[in-house]
Amino acid sequence: MIAVTEAAPVVEAHQVTKWFGETTALDQVDLTVPPGVVHGLLGPNGAGKTTLLSALFGLVLPDEGTLRLFGRTRAEAGAGWLDGVGGFVETPRFYPYLTGRQNLAVLAGLDGGGAGSLIDQAIESAGLASARRQKVRGYSLGMRQRLGLAAAMLRRPRLLILDEPANGMDPAGIRDLRAALRRLARNGLTVLLSSHDMAQVEEICDSVTVLHHGRVVFAGGLSVMRAEAPEPVWRLNTTDDAAAVEAARHLTGVKASAHDEGGLVVYAAQDRLDAYVLQLGRDGVALRGLQLEVTPLESLFFQLTGDPAPPGPPPAITEES
Amino acid sequence: MTLAAGRWPVYAAPAAGERRSGALVVYRLELLKISRMIQVRTMAVLGIIGPFLAVAVLRVQSATPGDTAFGQWVHESGLAIPMVVLGFGAPWVGPVLVAVVAGDIFSSEDRFGTWKTILTRSRSRGQLFAGKALAALTFAIALMVLLTVTDLVAGLAAGTQPVVGLGGQLVRAGPAAGLVALSYLSDLPPLLGFTALAVMLSVISRNSVVGIGGPIVITLVLQVVTLISLPAWAQMALISTPFQAWHGFWAQPAFYGEFLWGLVTAAAWFVICGVVSWLVFRRRVIGVAS
């Protein structure tokens, strides 16, 4: 039985460090996830997200630091360390010569406790009812992700740990996944998910931890992150780009430059962009296209992780350019 | 049904004492997985019809496998046939057959990438190791029992005349059938030693080709080594030597010293391979490329 007080964090990592030979995969990582939230673990490839999630599952042992699930270390919890925890690390993998249902039956057998009676419910909830008798070797990546979610939910978890859960899913699947996770969180489930997609995290997470080269470079709520975020990046197509750049020079809070592939790249907050578009109209420049290229949180993510490549604009934009 | 609309299972605390039988749970599931493997099903079919085919072939051909123990008597007594099959097949075929399962039972999880899947289900590595190893041993035992029964039945079906023992004595059908069964079962200890060897190769290499092919190559090497004049102690230490221990059962008078030595040899291989397997498996990093 897991004894959890309402205030106790579900996940706690304190100064967790992990080396693989000369490589520092995790460097004094701190992480706290309170109950009932969706927490995003963000970072580019190789940032240490999967290593941290693997450590939570007990697949790798930290060289330094302490991990607690539901307030207990692994030593304190013993074989019950993962009670109440479901999820997967990297792409969920199954026995290809078994059907989706047979795979869940094997895992339910490992879980015990009547999990077998939940197989059909889980497989239907994952949207795999029509593929339940199909061998997993024929499943697409998105179907395996769904089966992975069903396998995780078979454990009736209080904590769901998901590593890049939207990988391989079609847009409808991603939309459903977001909604499902939000709904589960509303019902009290705690979700810890990793992603390198800031936009995806922005939609479903309450709080985030950003990892870069194994170190935490940001931790906090999305509202805090938004407050620290720079201006978003827009892509504009106009009837007269030169005139549009000139118009931006006379507006505060708007930076515009020509894009290599045609059109303009504009750095501006939403209200300043509105003012800019109105000004273009007054100047007789028609707008043929407007698209959000990089959200503010994506911009912040790129800054935090040292990624110089928000799509589109050149590295430095000046009002004169 | 969509992910969003799904009625997902909700949390329930595990019942007290539920985890106590963890290794047995793993064992049962491994047996289920083994039973669904196409190569195992093929083996089962061949194990049932193979002895009858062997009987048919030996009865039809006029020549006899005279260079094999009991070979010259295959036309005189049906019970000589399973002994020919045992003498020729056990040291070669037995290790190969058990390696198909034992050499794959750990490395298949590497091949399918499923260690992460099963190690996130509240089962300890010790439980997984014990369950898998036990399943591999069970398969070896089941295989040996199946071959004992089918070979004996096929032999009896071919004829129940007395058979000439290795000491030249005539053995009546009843005692001969008992000796056939005993001879087959005496090959079980070295077969379990080979099973442990295959498991060890499977664990260390994480590769099914090595896990399955390794014991086969070792079998071939040991067959060659037995042709070399080795000191007696070295000969007795080979895991392939106990496959011949049944010869003593058919001597006049019977002797059991080789069988007992074979038990010690097989137990030593079994324990060493088992301990090495566990030590390697316990320390493995799983789930993250190092």
Side-chain angles (χ1 to χ4, degrees):
Chain A
M1 175 72 79
I2 302 165
V4 189
T5 63
E6 285 303 314
V10 175
V11 180
E12 279 181 285
H14 178 64
Q15 296 289 291
V16 171
T17 299
K18 179 67 189 177
W19 295 287
F20 291 116
E22 299 292 312
T23 306
T24 305
L26 296 173
D27 190 359
Q28 299 183 312
V29 169
D30 289 320
L31 172 70
T32 303
V33 182
V37 303
V38 181
H39 187 89
L41 197 57
L42 270 165
N45 292 334
K49 306 184 297 291
T50 297
T51 303
L52 182 57
L53 297 187
S54 297
L56 289 172
F57 275 120
L59 298 174
V60 297
L61 298 179
D63 295 311
E64 291 177 2
T66 311
L67 285 171
R68 290 178 188 275
L69 293 179
F70 303 107
R72 303 175 304 173
T73 64
R74 197 171 178 208
E76 290 164 355
W81 168 252
L82 291 179
D83 284 351
V85 181
F88 52 79
V89 178
E90 295 180 320
T91 305
R93 304 295 290 269
F94 298 95
Y95 302 105
Y97 56 90
L98 299 180
T99 66
R101 196 184 188 290
Q102 286 169 340
N103 267 286
L104 291 190
V106 167
L107 298 176
L110 285 173
D111 291 335
S117 63
L118 303 172
I119 292 172
D120 289 322
Q121 183 185 344
I123 212 162
E124 283 172 19
S125 297
L128 290 171
S130 60
R132 74 177 72 193
R133 305 210 182 280
Q134 183 182 336
K135 286 198 165 52
V136 166
R137 70 164 57 94
Y139 276 28
S140 67
L141 178 57
M143 290 166 78
R144 289 179 198 207
Q145 294 284 105
R146 286 170 177 267
L147 192 62
L149 190 60
M153 294 308 295
L154 269 187
R155 291 175 58 73
R156 292 174 287 191
R158 299 188 78 173
L159 168 63
L160 192 56
I161 300 176
L162 303 173
D163 192 5
E164 307 271 5
N167 265 4
M169 281 191 180
D170 55 29
I174 294 172
R175 180 200 62 207
D176 290 348
L177 175 69
R178 289 171 180 160
L181 293 180
R182 291 299 330 166
R183 201 159 68 89
L184 289 167
R186 277 199 302 276
N187 292 337
L189 189 85
T190 305
V191 181
L192 173 60
L193 66 90
S194 78
S195 178
H196 60 264
D197 184 347
M198 186 69 229
Q200 190 180 98
V201 167
E202 195 174 350
E203 284 193 34
I204 54 176
C205 291
D206 304 299
S207 54
V208 292
T209 295
V210 182
L211 288 175
H212 185 48
H213 293 317
R215 295 185 70 91
V216 174
V217 292
F218 178 89
L222 273 188
S223 55
V224 177
M225 203 175 189
R226 285 193 185 98
E228 295 181 8
E231 295 159 347
V233 182
W234 309 88
R235 182 82 178 270
L236 264 68
N237 289 96
T238 69
T239 51
D240 187 346
D241 288 349
V245 170
E246 183 61 24
R249 292 180 61 189
H250 301 291
L251 284 173
T252 55
V254 179
K255 297 175 183 177
S257 69
H259 192 284
D260 292 343
E261 298 170 5
L264 298 176
V265 174
V266 178
Y267 280 85
Q270 181 75 58
D271 60 333
R272 299 311 303 151
L273 182 77
D274 292 345
Y276 180 48
V277 171
L278 291 172
Q279 184 60 47
L280 290 179
R282 283 193 290 272
D283 293 349
V285 179
L287 198 61
R288 288 179 170 168
L290 172 60
Q291 181 183 341
L292 180 63
E293 285 270 297
V294 184
T295 68
L297 292 188
E298 282 177 320
S299 292
L300 180 61
F301 176 68
F302 291 135
Q303 283 183 6
L304 290 168
T305 58
D307 190 330
I317 297 174
T318 64
E319 291 184 51
E320 289 74 30
S321 59
Chain B
M1 182 73 72
T2 67
L3 288 169
R7 292 182 307 105
W8 292 104
V10 295
Y11 176 73
E18 193 176 281
R19 200 172 292 101
R20 268 178 292 182
S21 58
L24 287 178
V25 168
V26 177
Y27 168 68
R28 193 170 53 82
L29 292 170
E30 287 300 323
L31 289 184
L32 179 72
K33 280 156 57 182
I34 288 172
S35 71
R36 293 186 188 280
M37 292 167 68
I38 185 71
Q39 54 269 50
V40 170
R41 293 182 173 187
T42 305
M43 266 191 269
V45 171
L46 290 177
I48 292 169
I49 64 171
F52 294 95
L53 287 176
V55 165
V57 169
L58 287 169
R59 299 299 283 224
V60 167
Q61 65 181 22
S62 56
T64 59
D67 55 346
T68 306
F70 294 97
Q72 60 186 311
W73 310 114
V74 293
H75 288 155
E76 276 68 40
S77 173
L79 287 168
I81 294 174
M83 294 314 299
V84 171
V85 172
L86 180 67
F88 177 76
W92 296 91
V93 180
V96 172
L97 294 182
V98 296
V100 169
V101 168
D104 193 45
I105 199 163
F106 282 83
S107 52
S108 63
E109 305 288 356
D110 292 288
R111 191 168 75 250
F112 300 138
T114 41
W115 279 123
K116 289 174 291 183
T117 308
I118 58 177
L119 278 168
T120 53
R121 313 302 293 196
S122 292
R123 297 294 167 194
S124 69
R125 290 194 187 201
Q127 290 169 341
L128 288 170
F129 181 85
K132 281 178 169 287
L134 206 56
L137 294 173
T138 301
F139 172 76
I141 293 168
L143 181 71
M144 204 63 215
V145 169
L146 173 71
L147 293 177
T148 301
V149 170
T150 54
D151 276 343
L152 187 56
V153 170
L156 289 169
T160 57
Q161 303 86 348
V163 64
V164 179
L166 296 181
Q169 80 280 21
L170 205 60
V171 184
R172 286 181 293 107
L179 284 177
V180 168
L182 189 63
S183 299
Y184 267 73
L185 294 178
S186 75
D187 276 356
L188 190 54
L191 207 57
L192 296 182
F194 262 103
T195 302
L197 176 67
V199 164
M200 184 182 76
L201 293 173
S202 176
V203 170
I204 292 175
S205 69
R206 309 183 186 191
N207 183 308
S208 296
V209 174
V210 176
I212 297 171
I216 296 171
V217 172
I218 289 171
T219 301
L220 293 171
V221 170
L222 290 178
Q223 291 295 319
V224 173
V225 168
T226 53
L227 299 176
I228 304 169
S229 180
L230 287 174
W233 64 266
Q235 196 78 35
M236 295 302 283
L238 298 179
I239 185 61
S240 55
T241 302
F243 281 122
Q244 309 300 330
W246 56 265
H247 284 207
F249 305 160
W250 293 86
Q252 179 72 13
F255 58 91
Y256 301 93
E258 286 189 11
F259 172 69
L260 296 175
W261 264 115
L263 280 180
V264 174
T265 301
W269 278 76
F270 184 86
V271 170
I272 291 169
C273 292
V275 169
V276 170
S277 302
W278 166 239
L279 291 177
V280 171
F281 181 68
R282 191 182 60 167
R283 293 161 191 265
R284 281 182 55 173
V285 172
I286 291 169
V288 178
S290 51

